[in-house]
Amino acid sequence: MRIDQNPVFRKSFIPWYDSETACIIVIILMTVVFLFGFAGISVAHENVKYQEEVWVAVLLVVMSGGVLLTTTVRLIKRYIRRSSK
């Protein structure tokens, strides 16, 4: 549940897990996971023994990419909203 954009009595409260610092930490960690997934895909393609498990690395890349994208969009929207005030 999001808090009202124009609170009557005080500044709106942003939960700690939705703060800029937390978002930046998530972006950094998901970038590491994203690169780790690509390394896994590369290793799986080079080694015949691991080609059946390439789906794990692809899943890591897709899921971390989704989190990266949504968190980046959230921060961009926040910066645009802040600069328009």
Side-chain angles (χ1 to χ4, degrees), residues 16 21 25 28 33 36 54-55 66-67 70 74 76 78:
W16 67 268
T21 306
I25 291 171
I28 291 169
V33 172
F36 182 73
V54 74
W55 67 270
V67 172
T70 56
R74 179 184 301 166
I76 290 171
R78 189 175 297 160

Side-chain angles (χ1 to χ4, degrees), residues 37 40-45 50-60:
I41 292 171
S42 172
V43 168
H45 281 297
Y50 299 124
Q51 286 183 352
E52 292 179 2
E53 283 78 19
V54 74
W55 67 270
V56 176
V58 171
L59 188 64
L60 276 176

